[in-house]
Amino acid sequence: MAVDCMIKAPSSLSSLREDQQKSLVFDASVLQHEANIPQQFIWPDHEKPNSQKSKELEVPLIDLGGFLSGHSSSAKEASTRVGEACQKHGFFLVVNHGVDANLISDAQRYMDLFFELPLSKKQRAQRKAGESCGYASSFTGRFSSKLPWKETLSFRFSAEENSSNMVEDYFKNTMGQEFVRLGKVYQEYCNAMNRLSLGIMELLGMSLGVRQAHFKEFFEENNSIMRLNYYPRCLKPELTLGTGPHCDPTSLTILHQDNVGGLEVFVDNEWRSIAPNSSAFVVNIGDTFMALSNGRYKSCLHRAVVNNKSPRKSLAFFLCPKKDKVVSSPEELVDENNPRIYPDFTWSTFLEFTQKHYRADMNTLQAFSIWVQQKTSRT
Ligand SMILES: C=C1C[C@]23C[C@H]1CC[C@H]2[C@]1(C)CCC[C@@](C)(C(=O)O)[C@H]1[C@@H]3C(=O)O
Ligand SMILES: O=C(O)CCC(=O)C(=O)O
Ligand SMILES: [Fe+2]
């Protein structure tokens, strides 16, 4: 935000036209001291977080050690537990995941090096309209209400042969030479996330009764998104949300939250918190995998709340298919009792839908399916 509108009483902001509201830029370093939060950040009553802390959810904790060491009995056990979790709320924790603890703590710590920069420096990476990558501060320029209380830096990761330095190059080219070390850490982190995602895809394939390598092969050449979430402290946390209620439109999310806590899942009609566990990754399937599973597994509704004590950080790796690969559930999951639910689509079309036409929420895939069918009937 241009600092001047921090001195305007929030009520006067609503006098701005929607395009003027969208042109505001919020500076997190100012917002975190503001008791009078701008009204664009105040969510409707039915979506505000309860002021009392949400009850903790017992999330299945799956030890990948045996599976990753090639023990078939452990693989079977892990795939059964993954399947059970996906039949319920779609979230599970993985431990003994093979990702180096020092790499995780570096990836967490290095986020501060970026988000604590002056806004003008962060804006070197400013997300451009309609694009999924870059720096976004409360999504100004994108939404005019229900603004999330967060800053994000999103960048692309590709598992294709000729893209082994994509993340490193992004940081060097966008932020300059002094960010080369940061780029190397996030390149290594994304490589580790890629390996872990493909392992989890094997367990998902086994749990659905398709050929074990089916989904692993489908995602071999993925074009994924890495997102750094930075949630500044908020003096009125009961009025806003760090990330609003949504299902991830992507295929699989591997999330590492810091020790602050704030991730919540909607289960049995109530919001339940997922306790921080620095040695574990939180894994959930997204809309695209729900389509690939022909609706057998559901992508899950979740959100992030903020607090009035400290900032919160999370690392979210979003596994996405190669852009032009057709997303279509395997024959084994389609029969007369389970007709095909979703139209075939490509991830690039679905991603464009979320970046240019629809703010992802709990109905994104449904809205997208209708949009695709309308587009097809018009041509
Ligand atoms: C494909 C994506 C769109 C979002 C980032 C990835 C996966 C999660 C999506 C998102 C976080 C869901 C909630 C709304 C959103 C706008 C956000 O709060 O960031 C979504 C992301 C986005 O469109 O930038
Ligand atoms: O920060 C979190 O804990 C959740 C963020 C999230 O759901 C997302 O970025 O899609
Ligand atoms: Fe999410």
Side-chain angles (χ1 to χ4, degrees), residues 46-50 52-57 241 243-246 262-274 300-305 362:
H46 71 282
E47 292 187 281
K48 282 188 180 78
N50 312 326
Q52 72 272 11
K53 203 170 162 356
S54 302
K55 213 166 61 180
E56 226 173 79
L57 178 71
L241 286 169
T243 295
H246 70 281
L263 172 59
E264 298 190 345
V265 189
F266 196 69
V267 183
D268 300 335
N269 257 340
E270 59 175 352
W271 288 102
R272 305 285 295 277
S273 63
I274 294 192
C300 21
L301 186 56
H302 57 286
R303 71 181 188 184
V305 297
M362 58 191 282

Side-chain angles (χ1 to χ4, degrees), residues 171-184:
F171 276 89
K172 191 165 52 186
N173 301 339
T174 313
M175 296 302 292
Q177 200 52 37
E178 67 270 37
F179 285 85
V180 163
R181 196 155 50 100
L182 225 86
K184 286 184 187 308

Side-chain angles (χ1 to χ4, degrees), residues 80-113:
T80 305
R81 302 208 52 210
V82 163
E84 286 160 358
C86 291
Q87 298 282 1
K88 277 196 310 223
H89 41 64
F91 271 79
F92 54 94
L93 299 176
V94 292
V95 290
N96 290 329
H97 38 62
V99 182
D100 180 79
N102 294 325
L103 175 59
I104 299 170
S105 59
D106 283 351
Q108 278 283 353
R109 196 173 63 253
Y110 280 20
M111 286 172 73
D112 295 334
L113 295 181

Side-chain angles (χ1 to χ4, degrees), residues 127 131-132 139 142-143 148 150 152 154 225 227 229 242-250 253 302 318 320 347 350-351 354-355 358-361:
R127 172 188 175 278
E131 293 190 4
S132 60
F139 295 95
R142 192 165 166 200
F143 312 124
K150 69 176 169 184
T152 57
S154 308
I225 298 170
R227 170 166 281 199
N229 288 310
T243 295
H246 70 281
C247 298
D248 295 336
T250 45
T253 305
H302 57 286
F318 297 111
C320 311
W347 169 244
F350 193 12
L351 178 60
T354 68
Q355 299 307 298
Y358 190 90
R359 177 174 183 173
D361 55 16

Side-chain angles (χ1 to χ4, degrees), residues 161-260:
E161 281 305 304
N162 55 356
S163 313
S164 54
N165 294 327
M166 180 181 270
V167 174
E168 239 179 281
D169 293 345
Y170 173 78
F171 276 89
K172 191 165 52 186
N173 301 339
T174 313
M175 296 302 292
Q177 200 52 37
E178 67 270 37
F179 285 85
V180 163
R181 196 155 50 100
L182 225 86
K184 286 184 187 308
V185 165
Y186 289 116
Q187 180 71 60
E188 203 186 329
Y189 186 84
C190 288
N191 294 342
M193 290 298 105
N194 177 55
R195 287 192 295 272
L196 180 55
S197 306
L198 296 180
I200 293 170
M201 276 301 154
E202 280 189 82
L203 296 175
L204 285 166
M206 290 165 73
S207 74
L208 284 165
V210 301
R211 190 169 54 82
Q212 176 167 342
H214 176 82
F215 292 123
K216 179 173 183 251
E217 288 165 1
F218 182 86
F219 286 101
E220 283 283 329
E221 286 189 314
N222 62 80
N223 296 150
S224 295
I225 298 170
M226 181 70 211
R227 170 166 281 199
L228 312 180
N229 288 310
Y230 189 86
Y231 302 95
R233 180 190 66 165
C234 177
L235 295 183
K236 293 282 173 57
E238 69 284 359
L239 300 182
T240 188
L241 286 169
T243 295
H246 70 281
C247 298
D248 295 336
T250 45
S251 296
L252 186 78
T253 305
I254 301 185
L255 184 122
H256 190 271
Q257 53 171 341
D258 66 8
N259 291 319
V260 174

Side-chain angles (χ1 to χ4, degrees), residues 109-127:
R109 196 173 63 253
Y110 280 20
M111 286 172 73
D112 295 334
L113 295 181
F114 177 81
F115 289 104
E116 285 169 9
L117 288 170
L119 180 58
S120 56
K121 268 209 166 174
K122 291 184 276 191
Q123 285 175 324
R124 281 192 212 160
Q126 180 62 40
R127 172 188 175 278

